[in-house]
Amino acid sequence: MALISGEEYKKRQCKIKHNVYIHGKKVENPEDNPVTKSVLEATALMFDLALDSRYEYPMVTTSHLTGDRINRNLHVNRNNDDLMGRADMALLAGQKLGTCNYRCVGCDVINALASVTWEMDRTEGTDYHQRFSEFLKKAQANDWACSGALTDAKGDRSLKVGQGDPDMYLHMVEKKSDGIVVKGAKFHQSGAIAADWTMVMPGQGLREGNEDYALAFAVPNSEEGLIYITQYNPMSVEREYTKDIYELGNPIYGQRETCIIVFDDVFIPWENVFMCGEVKYAGLAVTRFAKTHRMNCGGACKVGFADVIIGAATLAAEYQGTDRAPHIMTMITDMIRDSKQAHACAIAAAVKGFEEPPGSGVWMPDDLFGNVAKLTIAPGFWEIMSFAGDIAGGFVTTMPSFEDLRNPATKDYLEKYLKVKVPAEKRMRITKVLQNWAAGLHGAGTWHGAGSVQTQMISLMRVADIDEKKKIAMEVAGIEEEE
Ligand SMILES: Cc1cc2nc3c(=O)[nH]c(=O)nc-3n(C[C@H](O)[C@H](O)[C@H](O)COP(=O)(O)OP(=O)(O)OC[C@H]3O[C@@H](n4cnc5c(N)ncnc54)[C@H](O)[C@@H]3O)c2cc1C
C-alpha cells in the first residue's frame, strides 16, 4: 500500500468532495476542468515515477519510521545522501513535468516540522514530535499527496502580524478540548486543489503576543470550512478554449497552478496539531523549511525546467538553420552555465548539509549554498528565457493558432510561409513549448517561489560571516585586530 499508482491516486481524489472554484464556477472534481485536470495529471505522474524501476532512485526510499519503501516526497532526510536524493528528485520532476512537483512544498514542510517538533519536545516538554511521527506514518502508509501552506494573505505589509485585520495571518480563533479552530487564508498554494492533505505552518518569524498565529498542523483536502479559489490568467483561458490540448506549450501538465485556500473556521483535532502557541519556534520552522526548499526550488527543479527550455531552443535553432551561428551557440552555452551554476549550489547544499538540531536525526541542507542557489536562478531563469526568446525569433510571440493551420482558407499559406527546415506544424509545436516559458508566468513565478529575492539576501547576510571575511582582509593588509 505504501506506494500507489497515479491511477489509484486519481480514483482517491475523485472520492473527495472538492470545494474548488475557478473563474466563477465550482469544480466538483479536478477531472471536470482542463486546468484543474492538469494539476491532477502532474501529481499522478509523481506517483507513477515511483513505480517505474528506471526512477527508483531518486523517487523511492526507506521510511525511518517503519522500514517500508515509500515515495521520497514523504521522507525525512536522515543523511547527506538523502539530501542529494531530494535534490535529484526535484531535478527529475522538473524535467518530466515542466511544471511543479505539487508534492514538493509539503515534503519540505514535513522536514521542517520533523526537526522543529523534535526540538520543541526536548526543550518545552511538548508531545508534538510523537503526534507528528504518527501522522507521518499514516501519510507514508497511504502515500498521501501533501501540499505545503506557509504564505499568508498578509494585507498591508507595513503592519506587523496581529496589527489590523487579524485574519490576514492564519490564526487560532478557538481552543477546545478536542482541537483548535483556525481562520485566515494561505496564498499561492501550489497544486493544493489535488492534494490529499495540506501541511500548514507559519510563513514568518513571530514574537511574544503572536501566540495565536504560531500554528502548525495537517488538514485533509476539502475539510469543512476550506475553500479553494484557483489562479486564472490568459494561459488558463487558452487551456479551456483549446480543442486539442496537444497544441499547448505543456499539453498534459500545464503551467504552475496555485490557489488561495480560505480557512473559514476550520476545526483541527489535536492529533493533527504540531505547534500551538510556541512563538519562538515559528521562525526556526520557516528557516528550516527555506533551507530545503531553496536547495530544491533554486538549484534543482528550475534546472530541470532549464533542460526543457535549452532542448527546445536548440531544436528551434536547428529547425531554422541558425544552430551553427556563433552568437546562437554562445546563448545556448550561457543558458547551460546559468542553470548549472544554480545546480552546483544545490549539490553543495546537499553535500555540506548537517543534522539539525544535533540528535534529531533530521538532516538540513547548507543554508548559504541553498540561498545562493535561489539567488543565482532568480535572475538566471529570466536570462535563460530571454535567450530562448531571442533564438526562437519574434514568432515566439506572434505565431498564429493551429486552427489556422487547419482552416482551408489559411492552411496552404501557413504551410508555405511557416516552413523552415521542418514543416510548419513541427516548427509551431516547438515554438509553443518556448512560448509557455518565454511569454508565460515562469519568470515572476521563479522569482517569488521559495520567497522573494530580498528574503534570500537577508538570509545570506545572516550566514555569510562577514566578520570573518573582514578578519581575513585585515590579516592580508597587515592591520592589527582592534580592541
Ligand atoms: C508559482 C508560485 C508558487 C508558490 N507556491 C507556494 C506554496 O505552495 N506554498 C506557499 O506557502 N507559498 C507558495 N508561494 C508563495 C511564495 O513563497 C511567495 O510568493 C513569496 O514568499 C513572496 O510573498 P508574496 O507573494 O506575498 O509577495 P510580497 O511578500 O508581498 O513581496 C512583494 C515585494 O514586496 C517586498 N516586501 C514584502 N513585505 C515587505 C515589507 N514588510 N517591507 C518591505 N518590503 C516588503 C518583497 O521583498 C517583494 O519585493 C508560491 C509563489 C509562486 C509565485
Side-chain angles (χ1 to χ4, degrees):
M1 180 67 182
L3 287 171
I4 65 167
S5 69
E7 231 16 77
E8 287 169 300
Y9 148 77
K10 284 197 268 186
K11 273 194 197 134
R12 184 166 71 196
Q13 274 294 311
C14 293
K15 289 186 194 145
I16 294 176
K17 209 173 158 351
H18 286 88
N19 206 4
V20 173
Y21 292 84
I22 186 165
H23 194 46
K25 293 190 199 90
K26 188 161 184 192
V27 184
E28 302 289 348
N29 178 329
E31 287 207 302
D32 295 346
N33 175 285
V35 177
T36 53
K37 189 174 190 313
S38 71
V39 180
L40 198 71
E41 295 297 348
T43 311
L45 185 72
M46 296 311 290
F47 287 86
D48 284 337
L49 286 178
L51 294 178
D52 186 330
S53 58
R54 287 171 298 172
Y55 307 115
E56 187 175 5
Y57 177 86
M59 292 305 303
V60 182
T61 187
T62 302
S63 166
H64 72 287
L65 295 171
T66 62
D68 289 340
R69 299 293 279 162
I70 55 162
N71 192 301
R72 192 181 291 279
N73 283 292
L74 293 167
H75 184 55
V76 174
N77 299 312
R78 310 289 293 171
N79 49 49
N80 297 89
D81 287 345
D82 278 349
L83 291 174
M84 203 59 244
R86 175 68 186 90
D88 281 344
M89 176 173 71
L91 174 66
L92 178 72
Q95 291 169 334
K96 293 285 175 195
L97 292 168
T99 185
C100 272
N101 161 19
Y102 294 123
R103 301 177 76 176
C104 165
V105 186
C107 176
D108 295 342
V109 173
I110 284 170
N111 276 271
L113 292 182
S115 158
V116 169
T117 54
W118 184 89
E119 192 166 347
M120 279 193 282
D121 285 6
R122 263 182 81 98
T123 45
E124 310 296 326
T126 52
D127 64 350
Y128 293 129
H129 193 64
Q130 183 60 29
R131 278 186 213 171
F132 173 77
S133 300
E134 288 307 315
F135 171 83
L136 191 57
K137 273 191 219 164
K138 280 187 260 171
Q140 291 175 346
N142 291 287
D143 207 358
W144 283 334
C146 295
S147 59
L150 293 89
T151 313
D152 291 284
K154 295 185 279 198
D156 179 348
R157 271 65 171 161
S158 66
L159 298 176
K160 292 197 163 65
V161 176
Q163 292 178 331
D165 182 348
D167 300 340
M168 287 300 165
Y169 293 86
L170 186 87
H171 64 118
M172 179 171 64
V173 287
E174 198 182 345
K175 197 182 235 176
K176 298 175 152 193
S177 58
D178 51 350
I180 59 173
V181 178
V182 301
K183 190 174 174 70
K186 292 284 187 183
F187 273 43
H188 321 296
Q189 298 304 295
S190 296
I193 54 162
D196 297 300
W197 287 71
T198 291
M199 308 298 300
V200 181
M201 57 174 267
Q204 63 288 307
L206 297 169
R207 63 205 147 81
E208 239 177 81
N210 291 154
E211 283 72 15
D212 288 348
Y213 297 86
L215 300 176
F217 56 87
V219 61
N221 189 330
S222 291
E223 177 69 83
E224 199 181 338
L226 285 182
I227 299 119
Y228 301 73
I229 306 166
T230 68
Q231 66 180 45
Y232 198 75
N233 48 57
M235 298 180 109
S236 325
V237 181
E238 185 189 31
R239 183 164 286 269
E240 284 188 326
Y241 274 82
T242 299
K243 287 187 195 127
D244 177 3
I245 59 160
Y246 286 92
E247 291 168 2
L248 297 172
N250 187 349
I252 303 172
Y253 309 119
Q255 54 175 353
R256 289 155 77 185
E257 294 293 344
T258 72
C259 64
I260 296 169
I261 309 183
V262 178
F263 293 71
D264 193 7
D265 288 346
V266 178
F267 174 73
I268 313 292
W270 282 119
E271 66 185 54
N272 295 333
V273 176
F274 315 127
M275 179 191 291
C276 186
E278 293 78 8
V279 279
K280 68 176 177 176
Y281 296 92
L284 264 188
V286 175
T287 307
R288 288 178 194 166
F289 165 81
K291 285 183 183 188
T292 23
H293 205 52
R294 286 176 191 160
M295 171 183 81
N296 299 315
C297 246
C301 78
K302 303 305 174 303
V303 180
F305 291 176
D307 287 343
V308 177
I309 302 172
I310 294 165
T314 307
L315 285 168
E318 285 172 8
Y319 292 175
Q320 292 176 184
T322 55
D323 54 308
R324 304 316 304 164
H327 72 288
I328 300 284
M329 287 161 72
T330 302
M331 282 191 273
I332 300 282
T333 50
D334 278 348
M335 289 159 95
I336 296 167
R337 175 188 46 73
D338 276 331
S339 77
K340 287 299 161 192
Q341 270 171 355
H343 194 189
C345 294
I347 294 168
V351 169
K352 293 185 83 74
F354 50 87
E355 190 183 29
E356 186 173 1
S360 65
V362 183
W363 252 248
M364 290 280 152
D366 178 85
D367 211 4
L368 190 136
F369 284 109
N371 278 292
V372 176
K374 175 71 206 303
L375 280 171
T376 302
I377 207 65
F381 208 71
W382 280 117
E383 187 167 78
I384 287 169
M385 292 191 301
S386 74
F387 289 143
D390 186 314
I391 291 168
F395 197 52
V396 78
T397 54
T398 64
M399 74 175 263
S401 154
F402 284 90
E403 294 289 329
D404 295 313
L405 197 59
R406 282 189 287 268
N407 183 350
T410 47
K411 179 177 188 293
D412 291 347
Y413 297 122
L414 290 187
E415 280 185 348
K416 175 178 168 64
Y417 291 111
L418 295 188
K419 187 173 181 296
V420 281
K421 286 190 166 184
V422 297
E425 187 186 341
K426 202 167 184 183
R427 181 187 183 191
M428 285 174 74
R429 280 193 188 279
I430 210 65
T431 308
K432 206 66 195 157
V433 172
L434 289 169
Q435 193 181 71
N436 181 56
W437 301 95
L441 307 172
H442 285 277
T446 296
W447 193 268
H448 289 297
S452 310
V453 161
Q454 181 66 10
T455 56
Q456 285 105 60
M457 290 188 180
I458 293 166
S459 305
L460 193 62
M461 287 309 279
R462 190 171 36 77
V463 293
D465 202 348
I466 295 290
D467 286 341
E468 177 62 19
K469 294 182 199 332
K470 287 198 292 194
K471 271 194 207 146
I472 293 168
M474 284 166 76
E475 204 178 309
V476 170
I479 300 171
E480 293 288 309
E481 189 87 38
E482 285 167 29
E483 286 300 306

